[in-house]
Amino acid sequence: MTLAIDCAWESAPGVRAPELRATWARLRITVGDQTATLVKERETPAQVRESIDVAAYPLAEWLAINWWALDTRSHLPDYEGLNLAGAGDGFPWPTMVLRSDRQQMWVRVTPRQDQGLRVHSLASINAVLDGDEVLRSLGRFIDATVRRLDESGVTGTLLQDEWSAIQEADAEVRQFAMVAASWGFDPYDISDDVAHALLSAGEALNDNALLADLARAVPFSALESAENWLRDAIRAKRSADARVRPLPAFEPLLSVSGAAPWREGYRRADALREELGLSLTDPVPIEDFVALSHASSQPPENVEALARVDGDETAAIVGPDIDPSAPRGRFIGARALARRITDPRTRSSLLTRGARYTDKLERAFAAEFLAPAAGLRELLDGDFSEESQARAARAFRVSDLVIGHQIDNQLAA
């Protein structure tokens, strides 16, 4: 399942602007088998169409000038995503928000039926898609629009200039552009001081993806101190007697339509427990699957750990006060396992206290993996008293808070 933008080019001799006239089309956007451009016109409310009559140029330009924000895998916590309706020019673009998040692209389409609009958007879609697939699809649409301009003899547009610069960017420029975008900066309009700080941090960490990931958790003003902790964590040595068992193959999170993150986390946790041969009430020997090491200093406020995924091994580097065998350490270890699902191709990434799709999935996975709802129901046997919950927490070796969340979110729901 992925996103697709299809254009059927049409003649529009009455349109004055050459870039709009050249790219006039009947345009359809789909997310899997759902149509995002589902519309009806005010004058003919009984007729529903799956495409819109627009010039492709404004949408292609909007995507191109925001390309690095789409291409980066991390964002500031308050970044809500790119809304296609921002393409403007008076066309009835769907209210469709794209927000990249690790290896995924979150897509949300909402209806828009204001009385003042001539065209009403009807679609309602929530999906999580493979980020690389979405970018390839958007790139094909921009390519087709630029090619249409070229074939029509239209030159010198912002779209053509912007897309050419993106296409010609070398690996170093691309890495910097994605890091800058993750921190909310325009890579083509950035102050020397900010650029120097990002370049210095990238050189010190030798990991631009990790530097971008840091934007999720700390303000730019705290970059230097956070960078120091990361360097400390990267140097942390694993205990010599730590032995991590290989896990069954993980099914990576590629695309999900309509599934709430917690449901996806529960499903994958239950599947892994079954694969490992654990009964419903067995506590997970998390130390067998995740190696926890300690940095010498405390992580930044919104960071729980540095997760490492390397081949078959999973590790987490935590602050000096975290006991790997205590409930908090075990929960962080389970979250690190979940990171293999949400971001399997990135070797080093942060476990943060964020509230995005992958964060919610990972926390739900950790709770269900450590204390499955079905096993909890069996242990409690209808007794939800504090004493009974405390016994269940000791049996599963988790905190009382995890038990409470499992009861509230699954057993009492």
Side-chain angles (χ1 to χ4, degrees), residues 215-234:
R216 298 170 180 271
V218 303
F220 187 74
S221 59
L223 174 59
E224 185 176 354
S225 60
E227 172 204 323
N228 290 335
W229 182 82
L230 280 176
R231 283 190 289 163
D232 178 28
I234 290 169

Side-chain angles (χ1 to χ4, degrees), residues 396-407:
F396 283 122
R397 297 167 59 196
V398 299
S399 68
D400 292 351
L401 187 63
V402 167
I403 297 298
H405 277 306
Q406 287 290 81
I407 292 171

Side-chain angles (χ1 to χ4, degrees), residues 265-266 268-270 272-273 276 278-287 289-290 324-337 362-376 379 392-399 402-403 406 410:
Y266 297 154
R268 290 168 180 271
D270 290 338
L272 181 57
R273 284 186 66 97
L276 294 173
L278 296 170
S279 77
L280 291 176
T281 56
D282 283 339
V284 177
I286 195 70
E287 64 279 2
F289 306 111
V290 182
S325 62
R328 188 179 174 199
R330 286 169 53 75
F331 193 86
I332 290 173
R335 269 202 73 183
L337 281 184
E362 290 167 0
R363 282 193 282 269
F365 173 97
E368 180 69 7
F369 187 58
L370 295 173
L376 183 57
L379 284 182
R394 289 193 296 271
F396 283 122
R397 297 167 59 196
V398 299
S399 68
V402 167
I403 297 298
Q406 287 290 81
Q410 296 203 69

Side-chain angles (χ1 to χ4, degrees), residues 74-144:
S74 300
H75 293 283
L76 297 172
D78 59 355
Y79 177 72
E80 292 300 324
L82 182 68
N83 192 335
L84 300 197
D89 262 344
F91 294 114
W93 308 112
T95 304
M96 180 177 197
V97 176
L98 306 178
R99 191 186 192 281
S100 53
D101 185 19
R102 303 201 184 282
Q103 303 296 333
Q104 294 78 43
M105 185 76 74
W106 184 63
V107 181
R108 185 180 76 249
V109 183
T110 53
R112 189 171 52 169
Q113 302 187 48
D114 299 344
Q115 289 186 350
L117 296 175
R118 183 179 62 84
V119 178
H120 293 173
S121 298
L122 307 178
S124 179
I125 302 171
N126 278 289
V128 178
L129 307 178
D130 183 295
D132 289 339
E133 284 289 337
V134 172
L135 288 173
R136 281 192 286 269
S137 180
L138 297 177
R140 286 192 292 269
F141 165 68
I142 298 173
D143 281 337

Side-chain angles (χ1 to χ4, degrees), residues 225-269:
S225 60
E227 172 204 323
N228 290 335
W229 182 82
L230 280 176
R231 283 190 289 163
D232 178 28
I234 290 169
R235 290 193 298 264
K237 300 296 184 184
R238 196 170 81 183
S239 171
D241 58 355
R243 294 290 183 270
V244 178
R245 286 167 48 189
L247 283 163
F250 272 70
E251 176 195 354
L253 179 67
L254 295 178
S255 60
V256 183
S257 178
W262 47 90
R263 291 199 187 97
E264 192 66 16
Y266 297 154
R267 182 181 72 81
R268 290 168 180 271

Side-chain angles (χ1 to χ4, degrees), residues 296-312:
S296 61
S297 57
Q298 293 291 351
E301 183 178 353
N302 292 316
V303 174
E304 291 192 323
L306 172 65
R308 305 293 296 269
V309 176
D310 188 6
D312 291 334

